[in-house]
Amino acid sequence: MKIVESWLREWVDPDLETAALAHELTMLGLEVDGISIEGTNLNGVVVAEVVAVSKHPNADRLSVCRVSTGGKKTIEVVCGAPNVKEGMKSPLAVSGITLPNGVQLRKTEIRGVTSNGMLCSAIELGLGDESDGIIALADDAPVGMTLAEYLQLPDAAINLDLTPNRGDCFSVLGIAREVAAKTGCALKSADVVPVDSSIEDILPVEIPLPEGCPSFAGRLIRNIDPAAKSPLWMVERLRRAGLRGISPVVDITNYVMLELGQPLHAYDGDLVQGAIRPRLANKGEKVTLLDEKEVTVNTDTLVIADDSGAIGLAGIMGGLGTAVTDQTKDVFFEAAFWPQDFMTGKARSYGMHTDASLRFERGVDPQGQARAVERATELLLQISGGEAGPMVHHISQENLPVAKTIHLRRARIANLLGVELDDQLIAGILSQLGLDISSVDDGWDAVPPSYRFDLATEVDLIEEIVRIHGYDEVPEKTEVAESPLQIVTESAVDLERVSDTLIARDYDEAITYSFIDSTADTAFSGSESELALSNPISSEMSVMRSSLLPGLVSAVASNVSRQRERVRLFEIGKSFHGSSAEPMEVVRLAAVACGPALPEQWGSRAQVVDFFDIKSDVEAILELSGNEGDFEYVAATHPALQPGQTANVIGGETVIGVIGKLHPRVARLLELKRDAFVFELDAAKALASAAPIAKPVSKFPAIRRDIAVIVDDKISAEQLVKTAVSAAPDLITDVRIFDIYKGPGIEARLKSVAIGLILQETSRTLTDDDADAAQAAAVQKLRDEFDAELRD
């Protein structure tokens, strides 16, 4: 939110420079994101009056103006603005001045007529983006006064990043209250003098749902001047606060919202049919909003209706059918209190986000509706004239929020802050914040003001005390605490070790969103998720992820689209399963590898990552558990992976993960234009470990015997290894496959597998007879199990 410094200083004016004021705001918890200075480099630009306007003799679209700056002589200026006219007042920059955009004005001859300066538009002075005409100043603007002095420039726009609980600070008044409490400066009264009604006309209002609209204030103003223009001071303040001036009625509603924090809406009184009724929408009810979009309203949404049906979304946006226009003469101002329970998430459910919905979702003062309407009426009568009817204010006291008494203990303050504060100081701070306090034996009873709906507990008040007193006023203390040794478990591998292992293997860790697109989630899970969000931030974040892979693949796609040749990402996080009634979370480890297997170098041939590269990464992780021999890889199918290059990782008899190549169809869905290999493991199952068992190292030499067998092409290497070891488990300590051959000399659908048998004993040296017997047993076992033939 932007706060205009000059506007703020009308409410409270501490003796602080802009930077110091910004620092105090940040220390109050109202973080300043930045400060932009408006209206610099306007030296020499003055308020001038156009005395005479004549047509340029040699150009149809130019005018020759005689301009007065208050002296006896006038200045001749050539002007191309379509809105220039005799008698108007506008900023004048004379020859020799450098404009904010860096252009230095010089005396110039334009089509045969000498121009001694320039009547300026907003964009030329850095005061907005309007460039289709010169700035029209008020009729009472003092001729000869510098423009900077007249517009109170330079001025600072302070950009604040407010926390969600401080809805009261979305206004100049709210920030002023904070500054006044912090600095002790006097605060301008927020009371507004009621406007006397000059007519008896009212627009009837009915409240069929008081719990949804416990406070509704409105007033009808007739016979305003449709041709009236918003004064420059108002347009300027709105512009500096980030809003564009539109018309007096609209500008006034925006101005009052920024000033007092209460959103308003203005209706064309002639277009409202019958009584205004805030109510819940009917099923299938539609309304066309001010942005000309038609929406079908949900039945849990509050609408403003008249006899014709819904004419606006309550607290979000008004309807087009009753909007004020350039011909509007009768205006009805409405200010209502919409409880947060009715407003939270409603705007987002329609893909909308408005200034009004932001304030109502975070909370507005339930006592400020009549004040806002009075202020808006006062401004409209000043600017556009008209006749005001009586105020219509419906209040349902039993449905309005009631501030509860909070008991504050002085001992609790000292305990939390670590410092003793004087009772008078504490009471003064609470009073400055607008709380109604009374002393009790152990502290105070305090009742928050209506606009501080974020204060509900004792710790809230303690936070307020230290916030106003100053965090830097609380002395630092070095505490001594015991740090008992924790039991180090050997039943699971620490996740940091897993991260370190993958990082050492050239992966980068990523953190992706837990909310993902439902289509992507279905592509990886094979079924629609039951964990859909009621009010998603966007359609791309509509369900809770059942896999970490969609987010990782999308991240890889983003890197590839930015010309990253080699991308390897991993993530450790939760996936979500089950239903909303019985949700389940599982910690998973997932990774994606894309591009060359090794970084580009001269010493090795470039090779794209393949199934076995990423399988080696999985094995490196599983080795951390010490149970690497208990895992196997079994060919499988997966909705997101390519058949023939997919395997389940099996631990014991349980599937603990999957590994494989991303299916091209899924890659296209996630806009990844290269092959990628992925794996995903259940962390708890994959990283479960047992206490290590020491084995003696044999001091006797090992013997190696190599054999080659011809087997069916469908038999896996793992099957061959396990069968060979089982033939002589006491002697065969390791089996290594060092060659696989298919081609001439080998029948179709068969393959030749070269196997190295490593034999060793811990108690003696093996003989050739031992080795021959073990080799024969292995060959026979392979022949029995797989109908293998020994290759010559």
Side-chain angles (χ1 to χ4, degrees), residues 326-473:
D326 293 340
Q327 287 75 45
T328 298
K329 292 186 177 181
D330 296 343
V331 174
F332 181 74
F333 280 128
E334 163 254 301
F337 173 70
W338 312 109
Q340 289 172 273
D341 291 344
F342 284 84
M343 295 304 301
T344 301
K346 294 300 184 295
R348 290 194 299 275
S349 68
Y350 300 100
M352 301 171 64
H353 179 79
T354 64
D355 288 331
S357 67
L358 171 68
R359 286 166 172 79
F360 283 119
E361 287 186 358
R362 299 196 178 191
V364 300
D365 185 355
Q367 304 292 336
Q369 289 69 53
R371 175 179 60 195
V373 173
E374 293 286 8
R375 177 63 168 148
T377 303
E378 174 190 15
L379 291 170
L380 184 61
L381 295 180
Q382 290 175 4
I383 297 169
S384 301
E387 301 167 307
M391 172 78 72
V392 176
H393 193 186
H394 293 268
I395 301 177
S396 175
Q397 290 290 351
E398 62 271 21
N399 290 300
L400 281 175
V402 178
K404 296 181 180 179
T405 301
I406 304 171
H407 182 57
L408 177 63
R409 297 164 291 174
R410 61 173 61 86
R412 183 64 171 156
I413 298 173
N415 179 262
L416 283 184
L417 300 185
V419 62
E420 297 279 352
L421 297 179
D422 183 71
D423 284 5
Q424 189 173 357
L425 173 64
I426 294 171
I429 289 174
L430 296 177
S431 296
Q432 286 175 269
L433 289 169
L435 282 82
D436 183 10
I437 62 171
S438 57
S439 297
V440 293
D441 290 341
D442 61 344
W444 300 266
D445 284 336
V447 180
S450 60
Y451 53 84
R452 287 306 304 272
F453 31 81
D454 60 309
L455 302 181
T457 64
E458 184 179 34
V459 292
D460 293 334
L461 298 187
I462 296 174
E463 180 186 9
E464 293 299 292
I465 291 168
V466 69
R467 204 168 56 86
I468 301 302
H469 179 59
Y471 296 107
D472 50 358
E473 295 296 325

Side-chain angles (χ1 to χ4, degrees), residues 529-727:
S529 173
E530 295 185 32
L531 299 176
L533 304 183
S534 299
N535 296 303
I537 298 173
S538 68
S539 61
E540 289 78 19
M541 306 178 77
S542 59
V543 300
M544 303 294 289
R545 66 184 180 187
S546 60
S547 168
L548 277 59
L549 290 174
L552 281 176
V553 173
S554 294
V556 169
S558 295
N559 279 272
V560 169
S561 68
R562 288 162 176 77
Q563 300 180 337
R564 285 288 303 276
E565 293 292 328
R566 183 172 183 268
V567 186
R568 301 165 76 88
L569 297 178
F570 79 93
E571 180 176 8
I572 300 174
K574 292 181 179 180
S575 62
F576 305 89
H577 311 271
S579 64
S580 56
E582 296 183 356
M584 181 175 64
E585 300 179 2
V586 178
V587 178
R588 294 189 182 276
L589 165 63
V592 182
C594 177
L598 296 172
E600 184 177 1
Q601 55 178 302
W602 63 268
S604 64
R605 180 173 57 87
Q607 180 177 328
V608 178
V609 66
D610 60 19
F611 180 93
F612 297 101
D613 290 318
I614 200 164
K615 179 173 179 284
S616 70
D617 298 327
V618 174
E619 290 176 337
I621 296 169
L622 298 179
E623 284 177 2
L624 298 175
S625 68
N627 303 322
E628 63 273 17
D630 297 336
F631 298 102
E632 58 181 323
Y633 303 84
V634 178
T637 59
H638 188 280
L641 303 183
Q642 187 167 318
Q645 296 203 54
T646 302
N648 283 335
V649 184
I650 308 294
E653 297 181 356
T654 305
V655 177
I656 65 168
V658 67
I659 178 175
K661 181 181 179 182
L662 190 68
H663 198 291
R665 167 180 48 80
V666 179
R668 287 194 299 272
L669 174 66
L670 298 177
E671 299 181 355
L672 179 59
K673 299 179 181 180
R674 294 184 186 168
D675 291 342
F677 288 84
V678 306
F679 71 80
E680 186 168 33
L681 304 174
D682 183 317
K685 295 176 181 178
L687 302 177
S689 65
I693 299 175
K695 293 183 180 179
V697 177
S698 177
K699 61 182 179 181
F700 300 101
I703 298 176
R704 173 168 175 154
R705 291 290 177 90
D706 292 342
I707 60 175
V709 294
I710 299 174
V711 296
D712 191 289
D713 190 31
K714 295 181 179 179
I715 297 173
S716 69
E718 187 171 12
Q719 290 175 295
L720 296 175
V721 169
K722 286 187 174 182
T723 302
V725 169
S726 66

